Amino acid sequence: MPLITYREAVRHALAEEIERDRNVVVMGEEVAQFNGAYKVTEGLLARFGPERIVDTPISEAGFIGMGIGASMLGVRPVMELMFWSFYSVAFDQILNNAANVRYMSGGQIHCPIVIRGPANGGTNVGATHSHTPENVLANHPGVKVVVPATPYDAKGLLKSAIRDNDPVFFLENTMLYGEKGEVPAEEYLVPLGLADVKRQGTDLSIVTYGRSVLHSLAAAAILEKEHDVSVEVVDLRSIRPLDIDTVLASVAKTHRVLIVEEQKPFASVGAQLSYMIQREAFDELDGPIHRVTTVDAPAIYSPPIEIEQLPNPQRVLKAALEVVASSE
Amino acid sequence: MSKKSTANAEKPAEAAPSVTDYSRSPVNSRLSREQKIELHRKMVRIRRFEERSLRAYQAKKIGGFLHLYIGQEAVAVGCCSLMGKDDHIITAYRDHGHAIAVGMELNPLMAELYGKATGCSKGKGGSMHYFDPSRNFWGGHGIVGGQIPLGVGLAYGIKYKGLKGAAMAFMGDGAVNQGAVHEAYNLAALWKLPVVFVIENNGYSMGTSQARSSAGELAKRAEGYDMPWGQCNGHDVYEVRACMEKYLTLAREKHQPSTVEIDTYRYRGHSVADPDNTYRSKQEIEEYRRTKDPIQVFQQKLLAEGVLDDATIEKIDAEARAEADTAAEFSEASPFPTVDDIQKDVYWEADHPTERKSKGRLFFD
């Protein structure tokens, strides 16, 4: 199987869907002539021309709203946010219009739009550019939220997202763009709402998604080798819809849960997961659910300290050992 | 107190109202007798519908907000009467007039106000959120100015699909100060999108007059985006049509966006919750009613043209009142949505289970 980067996987998904469906248009700041601020869309303008690959002004409320309006007429815009952090200036368009228009019209309208771009910390760009809004987005019924961790998942999920008839918010990660993984040469889809067990284990379930999957896998290897703890890593891949059944099956197997997420702790995705696990698998738990989150403050700039603010393998390792100790 | 007291807000049309007889404009002179009567009938139906809805509101049959369009009827009727099959419209929350103007039936519109399952949005949208995509009417939006980027998106869709149509994106005079409107102007002008931005200037953004909220001429802001702009008297449906036809043609034929400011007036408060005694005088309202009421103005023209007579006017009015009463009775008799209905019409996929591709839970408890 070819080994390609996460960035290339996203690009290949875009290219394949542009070729497949005349209604698919890629739009965003610097996506065309500049070849993408993070080079995700590199080469697409040369290949597909300016009607399909469209540079927008720095005007998120304007162009995201425009994409939503166009989607109501059957265009399938794939809008790039240079950073998901910029969603704040298009909040009304994304979460009042795209999320609600189907409901308020009594089901007469749907918005087949995808909004994609990176949502992560770890690049020393400070608090304004480091938001991880998947919990905020998923709080709005009517939208779907996807956070892929690997090149394989990124490609298969993005293709599904573009074909979806509901608004899908696709959260990538600049720290993952250069990560390589095996991706089949032939076409495939990964359905939204299907979790993936990235590592099998018997003693502890780490429930995670996005870049934290990589940290969790790194910690799991150390736990196995140095502490004789067998860890199962469940990658949610999709936040809404949510594959809680795969999570519960893992809990029933290991009876211990550590949630790892690049989220501020208050009302995070993990908070929702914890509620659901205790509600639906209370008797399976040997101890309280633990959590590793972003340390609760705006994103710090200082490069060595930002590493400590975010989930990382050492923090996951320490928390995992605490879970095991507290349930023995 | 005048609604517009800025020194430069005088408009050519107001300064010399009798110079042009807009009934002779090509777009109006080709109207048949029946079409003229239909324009009048639509305005009357809007007014009687709204008066009936106000009574229902006072009787506590309707919840939330009710933003009445009374006094502005010539704007929606004039603009929407120009729509062809590839033309689309979108507006803000004062949307009853546009809904009736595009041809929606009164029963589902009234039932929506009553929060009934037979409402046009199944009781899920309410007064501010009427939609009928089958008539190219895309809402009905509650946040001031938020619908304008969507209107530019409709224009983008029209152009992308190679259709010869235009979008009309309506807003009130208060919306011109919202950032989303300016972002939308820029995109429309930059990309030559077939959209006409229509500012329905009724003089007040809620309780704040234009003079207290907006610097300069409202429509003139289009100049900053290299868009043509115009102003017209929204009390005369003929003039609305003559003015809008020009800008719609620019959009359809040349993909040239524009902004049109239509001078109008609302006789009721911002919403029915507005006691309407803090920001304008009773005399001002009465003066508009007496001299500029769009229904009276057009009625007089049609009487003079011999298109209408007193008996026909009486009949149209009686029918409109009866239709509004029937809509209220229909709404009264209709069922409310059920608690089970709350979670329908949220996701396309959930509403089409046999075509669902995704897995996992869409809803949470």
Side-chain angles (χ1 to χ4, degrees):
Chain A
M1 232 188 290
L3 206 59
I4 65 171
T5 63
Y6 187 111
R7 174 187 287 111
E8 289 166 325
V10 173
R11 185 188 305 146
H12 292 179
L14 292 172
E16 288 177 22
E17 294 306 298
I18 289 168
E19 281 193 324
R20 187 187 61 81
D21 184 349
R22 170 78 182 79
N23 284 316
V24 175
V25 181
V26 170
M27 285 188 196
E29 293 155 8
E30 312 293 1
V31 297
Q33 201 171 319
F34 194 85
N35 277 314
Y38 286 100
K39 303 302 171 207
V40 170
T41 54
E42 189 167 32
L44 295 184
L45 174 65
R47 195 168 155 197
F48 298 108
E51 197 193 0
R52 311 294 296 280
I53 312 293
V54 183
D55 275 328
T56 66
I58 300 172
S59 185
E60 288 85 4
F63 76 76
I64 296 281
M66 193 196 74
I68 295 163
S71 79
M72 301 193 305
L73 282 187
V75 180
R76 289 183 172 268
V78 184
M79 318 296 287
E80 177 171 309
L81 281 173
M82 191 183 296
F83 294 81
W84 255 103
S85 287
F86 303 161
Y87 86 123
S88 54
V89 293
F91 199 97
D92 181 49
Q93 299 302 323
I94 296 172
L95 294 169
N96 249 329
N97 289 340
N100 289 339
V101 73
R102 177 171 183 79
Y103 196 67
M104 296 192 305
S105 68
Q108 296 180 85
I109 297 172
H110 63 280
C111 292
I113 190 171
V114 174
I115 303 175
R116 53 156 288 274
N120 57 280
T123 55
N124 321 134
V125 287
T128 56
H129 285 57
S130 303
H131 291 286
T132 54
E134 58 269 19
N135 56 331
V136 178
L137 299 170
N139 189 247
H140 293 75
V143 312
K144 294 172 178 171
V145 183
V146 182
V147 191
T150 66
Y152 177 91
D153 291 342
K155 183 178 178 190
L157 286 165
L158 183 54
K159 286 169 68 75
S160 291
I162 293 170
R163 298 179 192 194
D164 202 284
N165 281 337
D166 294 306
V168 182
F169 304 148
F170 196 86
L171 281 63
E172 301 160 14
N173 191 312
T174 55
M175 306 288 281
L176 296 178
Y177 280 145
E179 293 284 328
K180 287 186 173 176
E182 288 191 332
V183 174
E186 62 274 15
E187 179 166 65
Y188 68 96
L189 297 169
V190 174
L192 311 189
L194 188 63
D196 184 41
V197 177
K198 289 283 196 281
R199 179 192 174 104
Q200 300 275 349
T202 53
D203 299 330
L204 167 68
S205 297
I206 295 183
V207 184
T208 184
Y209 61 91
R211 184 176 172 228
S212 295
V213 171
L214 275 63
H215 298 322
S216 300
L217 288 169
I222 298 168
L223 284 159
E224 181 96 60
K225 195 168 163 211
E226 298 179 9
H227 302 276
D228 198 27
V229 176
S230 168
V231 177
E232 182 147 301
V233 176
V234 179
D235 175 5
L236 295 175
R237 298 198 290 196
S238 169
I239 306 303
R240 187 169 188 155
L242 180 69
D243 179 5
I244 193 67
D245 291 342
T246 296
V247 174
L248 296 175
S250 183
V251 175
K253 191 169 152 192
T254 67
H255 311 291
R256 297 184 184 96
V257 180
L258 172 65
I259 293 166
V260 182
E261 56 180 352
E262 190 178 325
Q263 285 261 278
K264 308 288 167 48
F266 195 99
S268 71
V269 169
Q272 172 67 19
L273 280 171
S274 303
Y275 165 75
M276 293 175 77
I277 293 167
Q278 67 80 30
R279 182 71 182 81
E280 301 188 37
F282 188 75
D283 291 337
E284 295 288 356
L285 291 169
D286 282 353
I289 297 166
H290 287 232
R291 187 164 66 140
V292 174
T293 66
T294 302
V295 174
D296 198 15
I300 194 168
Y301 159 68
S302 180
I305 306 307
E306 190 185 12
I307 294 169
E308 296 309 316
Q309 185 175 11
L310 299 177
N312 60 46
Q314 284 308 311
R315 289 185 64 209
V316 175
L317 178 64
K318 183 166 174 282
L321 291 171
E322 285 169 8
V323 180
V324 174
S326 71
S327 60
E328 272 173 351
Chain B
M1 183 164 64
S2 163
K3 65 172 184 162
K4 292 159 207 157
S5 55
T6 51
N8 58 354
E10 279 306 311
K11 295 176 192 161
E14 284 187 344
S18 60
V19 170
T20 308
D21 179 358
Y22 289 96
S23 71
R24 296 174 191 276
S25 302
V27 71
N28 292 321
S29 61
R30 65 171 177 253
L31 285 172
S32 70
R33 179 188 178 85
E34 287 68 33
Q35 287 171 323
K36 289 180 178 182
I37 292 174
E38 185 54 27
L39 291 173
H40 172 74
R41 188 194 308 277
K42 275 227 164 107
M43 291 198 285
V44 174
R45 288 173 67 226
I46 292 170
R47 183 156 307 180
R48 298 306 174 219
F49 173 85
E50 294 217 297
E51 288 169 347
R52 187 66 190 83
S53 70
L54 176 59
R55 292 211 300 282
Y57 191 92
Q58 288 161 341
K60 302 200 186 308
K61 301 287 185 187
I62 297 173
F65 298 137
L66 189 69
H67 303 91
L68 297 177
Y69 196 65
I70 293 173
Q72 303 188 204
E73 293 91 342
V75 181
V77 169
C79 292
C80 295
S81 67
L82 300 167
M83 286 173 68
K85 72 173 176 54
D86 291 324
D87 296 326
H88 295 261
I89 82 158
I90 190 163
T91 188
Y93 46 80
R94 197 178 305 283
D95 60 351
H96 305 168
H98 307 78
I100 295 170
V102 298
M104 291 179 75
E105 303 292 333
L106 300 198
N107 281 2
L109 293 176
M110 188 70 84
E112 186 63 27
L113 302 181
Y114 277 64
K116 297 299 181 79
T118 54
C120 52
S121 293
K122 305 179 189 171
K124 292 177 174 178
S127 163
M128 299 189 285
H129 308 118
Y130 283 174
F131 294 85
D132 189 349
S134 75
R135 291 181 168 88
N136 294 356
F137 175 47
W138 299 93
H141 293 267
I143 304 298
V144 172
Q147 78 281 8
I148 302 301
L150 300 185
V152 170
L154 294 172
Y156 185 92
I158 291 165
K159 189 174 179 182
Y160 188 79
K161 288 168 178 283
L163 302 171
K164 197 176 173 181
M168 284 185 277
F170 290 85
M171 69 192 104
D173 45 296
V176 301
N177 299 317
Q178 286 280 38
V181 171
H182 288 265
E183 296 194 27
Y185 278 9
N186 181 55
L187 289 171
L190 189 67
W191 292 343
K192 292 282 178 198
L193 299 178
V195 56
V196 181
F197 300 104
V198 183
I199 303 167
E200 296 195 57
N201 185 352
N202 65 22
Y204 297 93
S205 48
M206 196 163 162
T208 305
S209 68
Q210 180 184 338
R212 293 199 300 127
S213 61
S214 298
E217 292 271 12
L218 306 190
K220 195 178 177 184
R221 295 183 185 187
E223 272 184 19
Y225 302 94
D226 269 349
M227 284 192 292
W229 57 281
Q231 293 170 315
C232 73
N233 164 19
H235 309 291
D236 174 8
V237 72
Y238 278 148
E239 184 173 338
V240 171
R241 282 170 49 84
C243 178
M244 285 298 292
E245 175 69 5
K246 175 180 157 192
Y247 292 99
L248 282 168
T249 303
L250 272 181
R252 294 186 195 113
E253 306 280 340
K254 298 186 172 162
H255 292 147
Q256 173 62 60
S258 60
T259 299
V260 177
E261 177 183 350
I262 304 184
D263 189 42
T264 185
Y265 198 76
R266 63 167 155 76
Y267 301 161
R268 301 285 175 171
H270 165 71
S271 77
V272 295
D274 168 12
D276 201 3
N277 57 13
T278 59
Y279 58 91
R280 59 181 183 177
S281 67
K282 289 276 178 285
Q283 294 89 316
E284 179 183 303
I285 302 169
E286 276 317 304
E287 183 66 12
Y288 271 95
R289 274 187 194 278
R290 196 172 58 76
T291 62
K292 293 186 171 173
D293 184 287
I295 294 176
Q296 290 300 322
V297 166
F298 196 51
Q299 197 168 288
Q300 292 309 315
K301 287 179 193 284
L302 294 189
L303 279 168
E305 289 181 36
V307 170
L308 279 181
D309 54 43
D310 288 341
T312 312
I313 290 169
E314 189 53 45
K315 181 165 178 283
I316 288 169
D317 193 52
E319 285 170 354
R321 287 174 191 275
E323 188 186 5
D325 284 340
T326 301
E329 287 157 20
F330 168 82
S331 305
E332 188 73 47
S334 291
F336 286 105
T338 66
V339 171
D340 285 343
D341 290 331
I342 293 172
Q343 288 186 313
K344 293 173 185 163
D345 306 309
V346 178
Y347 289 97
W348 184 92
E349 268 203 326
D351 299 333
H352 299 80
T354 59
E355 294 171 71
R356 183 172 173 188
K357 300 285 198 309
S358 77
K359 314 286 183 192
R361 286 193 204 173
L362 282 167
F363 293 98
F364 299 84
D365 48 28

